[in-house]
Amino acid sequence: MSKKTPPSTMLLILLSLSICSLSFSQSNSLSLSFPLSLSKKTSSISPFYPSLYSKTSSSGSFKLPVKYSTALVVSLPIGTPPQPTDLVLDTGSQLSWIQCHNKVKRKLAKPKTASFDPSLSSSFSLLPCNHPICKPRIPDFTLPTSCDQNRLCHYSYFYADGTLAEGNLVREKFTISNSLTTPPVILGCAQASTENRGILGMNTGRLSFISQAKISKFSYCVPSRTGSNPTGLFYLGDNPNSSKFKYVTMLTFPKSQRSPNLDPLAYTLPMKGIKIAGKRLNISPAVFKPDPSGSGQTMIDSGSDLTYLADEAYEKVKEEIVRLVGPKMKKGYEFAAVADMCFNAVETAEVGRRIGDMSFEFENGVEILVAKGEGILTEVEKGVKCVGIGRSGRLGIGSNIIGTVHQQNMWVEYDLTNRRIGFGGAECSRLK
């Protein structure tokens, strides 16, 4: 896949998330947490700044509220003094960028989103053209850059879903808490974008937010979309619930490996198979492992709403869905040119009952269990619900992507020091 079009940020392929849960329990430790909202978008790293562990509250964690609609969104204070800024939490891309608008000059008393005004920050600085980052290609960061008329470093970033962000590369501080601020982080300051929020790039690339801020562990809990105010949590550092998580070791790739279809900076999981209603589908395990070209890579991604499967796996899932509820499927219907296992909403209860549970199986006995009944389906438009899986081949890639549609009601922990991903069941909207 092209690094200019990361599969992670498919923010505009909007499927309301189906309810997903794991049959794991929770427990206790130490952390710093932020509110997450779901709305529309490998190497070992040293621990986050020591003050993360010494400046937490007496309860052992620092928490902020989180909201949710069609992508995971966290509001982080950026600049000096801090300005709350909405960012899509994206574990599948590297560059963080913010929406930059001069609110004072434009007299935007009530901007539609929590965008950032550079003129109000004393710690904001622009990167000049002679900065090492502002070169056509440097290792593991292939962002197209150029020199603008003011001799500043200009970037253009395109995503697989058609999202565009362009502006200048800058340095700015993030305020994690009243007593903890990061050093200046390189990020994009977008003056033109097809989105109304920024991106918090969280993959393993050296210029991602976690790499620059030296964060070795983070986690989030994706709430179900049901309810009037669904919220979840985002932790930087240890998660107090992690003692009961189930862990799977990530697949990592040497820097020298440059297969055309491989994303070496993604969080790659050793997936083994898929079950529907307890039946393991006849899918070759090779479909879920990268071949010499990189196709078949299975990634977990907080920036993709839907789950995507390579064509062979998708066809096997569809074959079983047709066997179970074929007569009830909408004939000739396809959502966003990627998903065609769809039904009229009035059929949801019956269809969900007939399909039953679905689970994604990984090594070490770890599985993501998608609840039976209506949990297997997700609303794509008024009156229509689909199984929350799309064909990755329609995106021009041959990979498998576990999206947030199948991360609901569970903790997902990214432990970079130990190169593992942890999962734990939770009612995310009830977390305090």
Side-chain angles (χ1 to χ4, degrees):
M1 70 196 76
S2 169
K3 298 238 180 111
K4 297 179 185 178
T5 55
S8 54
T9 325
M10 298 157 193
L11 306 177
L12 302 181
I13 302 175
L14 309 172
L15 284 184
S16 303
L17 308 183
S18 63
I19 299 172
C20 150
S21 65
L22 287 174
S23 51
F24 307 143
S25 55
Q26 302 171 277
S27 121
N28 272 308
S29 171
L30 172 67
S31 63
L32 179 71
S33 66
F34 298 86
L36 268 186
S37 59
L38 245 117
S39 170
K40 237 175 136 176
K41 233 201 168 269
T42 6
S43 53
S44 176
I45 296 180
S46 57
F48 195 59
Y49 305 104
S51 53
L52 175 94
Y53 303 100
S54 60
K55 301 293 186 181
T56 51
S57 66
S58 58
S59 65
S61 65
F62 180 84
K63 300 179 180 179
L64 296 173
V66 184
K67 298 176 184 177
Y68 156 30
S69 67
T70 59
L72 284 173
V73 174
V74 61
S75 182
L76 284 178
I78 301 177
T80 309
Q83 301 175 42
T85 307
D86 287 349
L87 300 168
V88 172
L89 182 66
D90 188 2
T91 61
S93 68
Q94 180 171 191
L95 179 72
S96 296
W97 54 270
I98 54 179
Q99 295 285 351
C100 289
H101 300 290
N102 192 314
K103 301 172 189 175
V104 176
K105 287 184 181 178
R106 296 189 183 190
K107 297 180 180 179
L108 297 177
K110 273 192 167 182
K112 290 183 179 180
T113 61
S115 58
F116 180 79
D117 186 346
S119 69
L120 301 180
S121 174
S122 62
S123 54
F124 178 87
S125 64
L126 291 152
L127 261 64
C129 287
N130 60 4
H131 191 282
I133 294 294
C134 201
K135 292 184 178 179
R137 300 178 77 86
I138 58 175
D140 84 343
F141 192 65
T142 55
L143 178 71
T145 56
S146 61
C147 221
D148 69 13
Q149 59 185 5
N150 297 314
R151 301 295 299 166
L152 298 173
C153 190
H154 183 88
Y155 77 95
S156 298
Y157 212 27
F158 295 89
Y159 295 84
D161 68 343
T163 299
L164 161 69
E166 67 174 316
N168 291 110
L169 291 181
V170 303
R171 288 185 184 271
E172 188 53 285
K173 296 179 178 181
F174 286 71
T175 300
I176 305 302
S177 72
N178 290 334
S179 56
L180 180 60
T181 301
T182 70
V185 170
I186 294 175
L187 68 161
C189 185
Q191 286 85 36
S193 171
T194 53
E195 279 295 302
N196 58 4
R197 297 178 180 87
I199 295 288
L200 190 66
M202 299 287 280
N203 75 7
T204 64
R206 68 186 183 91
L207 289 175
S208 71
F209 175 74
I210 56 168
S211 295
Q212 292 191 73
K214 294 181 169 48
I215 298 167
S216 63
K217 187 185 294 183
F218 66 95
S219 54
Y220 54 73
C221 197
V222 182
S224 164
R225 280 187 176 160
T226 58
S228 58
N229 188 31
T231 61
L233 284 177
F234 171 42
Y235 280 82
L236 293 176
D238 292 332
N239 187 311
N241 307 284
S242 64
S243 65
K244 296 291 180 66
F245 291 175
K246 301 274 189 174
Y247 288 93
V248 59
T249 301
M250 292 189 295
L251 298 179
T252 56
F253 309 95
K255 289 186 177 180
S256 58
Q257 186 170 349
R258 285 289 181 263
S259 304
N261 299 317
L262 183 75
D263 183 354
L265 307 180
Y267 297 97
T268 304
L269 298 180
M271 189 157 144
K272 296 177 66 177
I274 299 172
K275 289 192 297 189
I276 296 179
K279 174 185 175 182
R280 184 172 287 105
L281 303 184
N282 185 24
I283 305 172
S284 169
V287 174
F288 305 115
K289 296 178 181 178
D291 64 17
S293 75
S295 295
Q297 181 179 14
T298 299
M299 302 166 275
I300 185 162
D301 187 358
S302 66
S304 175
D305 194 3
L306 281 182
T307 286
Y308 292 88
L309 296 176
D311 286 351
E312 183 178 337
Y314 185 93
E315 288 300 335
K316 291 292 184 180
V317 170
K318 183 177 179 181
E319 182 180 299
E320 183 65 8
I321 296 297
V322 168
R323 186 183 74 81
L324 293 169
V325 289
K328 293 185 176 295
M329 291 177 68
K330 284 179 67 68
K331 306 302 182 203
Y333 180 88
E334 190 173 53
F335 172 70
V338 296
D340 61 359
M341 294 181 281
C342 302
F343 308 85
N344 290 319
V346 293
E347 305 272 17
T348 298
E350 174 67 11
V351 168
R353 184 187 64 78
R354 290 193 188 185
I355 295 175
D357 295 337
M358 177 184 292
S359 60
F360 298 88
E361 299 179 296
F362 303 93
E363 290 182 355
N364 302 331
V366 177
E367 69 174 14
I368 293 176
L369 177 65
V370 185
K372 64 181 177 181
E374 295 191 24
I376 207 77
L377 303 174
T378 184
E379 186 175 69
V380 297
E381 62 177 276
K382 189 172 179 59
V384 181
K385 292 192 177 184
C386 300
V387 174
I389 299 174
R391 299 175 185 266
S392 63
R394 296 289 179 86
L395 300 173
I397 59 175
S399 304
N400 306 287
I401 302 168
I402 307 298
T404 49
V405 69
H406 292 127
Q407 297 178 47
Q408 291 179 96
N409 285 328
M410 57 186 274
W411 284 109
V412 182
E413 180 183 82
Y414 297 74
D415 182 349
L416 284 84
T417 299
N418 297 302
R419 301 188 181 191
R420 62 183 188 172
I421 303 292
F423 299 98
E427 288 189 70
C428 300
S429 60
R430 292 180 177 244
L431 297 173
K432 303 298 181 184

